[in-house]
Amino acid sequence: MNNYFGCNFKQLLNKYRVEYAKSLLLEGTYSTSSLFRKCGFASQSVFYAAFHKIVGASPLQFLYKAPSGHRKRFKVLL
C-alpha cells in the first residue's frame, strides 16, 4: 500500500474522508460542528487536524476561500 499510494492506510483513509467533507461543505448540507461524525472521524479535534494537514486550512477557512459559485449556503455552528 505504501508503494502504490505513497502513504499508509490511515493517511489514505483520512484523504478520502476529507475529500468527502469538502464536498459536503460545498453542498451546505451539514454544519461544521456535526460534519466530523458524517465523515467517519471519532472526534472534532481529530477531524480538524486531518483537514488542516491535507487542505492547509480549517473547514471554515476552506469555505471562505471557495469561489461563491462552487458553494451553496452553509451553516456555521461552533
Side-chain angles (χ1 to χ4, degrees):
M1 180 171 265
N2 290 343
N3 292 333
Y4 188 77
F5 291 107
C7 60
N8 64 35
F9 180 72
K10 182 181 173 184
Q11 292 168 332
L12 181 65
L13 185 61
N14 282 345
K15 284 181 186 180
Y16 282 111
R17 287 175 173 169
V18 168
E19 287 302 316
Y20 182 55
K22 286 168 48 178
S23 68
L24 292 177
L25 281 169
L26 292 175
E27 288 175 10
T29 54
Y30 289 91
S31 67
T32 55
S33 61
S34 65
L35 187 63
F36 73 95
R37 286 187 202 98
K38 179 68 177 168
C39 296
F41 286 93
S43 70
Q44 189 171 3
S45 61
V46 173
F47 167 65
Y48 272 64
F51 196 96
H52 194 274
K53 183 177 182 179
I54 293 168
V55 178
S58 73
L60 287 178
Q61 290 170 336
F62 169 77
L63 278 174
Y64 288 126
K65 290 179 183 178
S68 60
H70 291 284
R71 67 175 180 213
K72 295 182 181 176
R73 299 180 79 199
F74 60 94
K75 304 175 211 172
V76 178
L77 302 173
L78 300 176

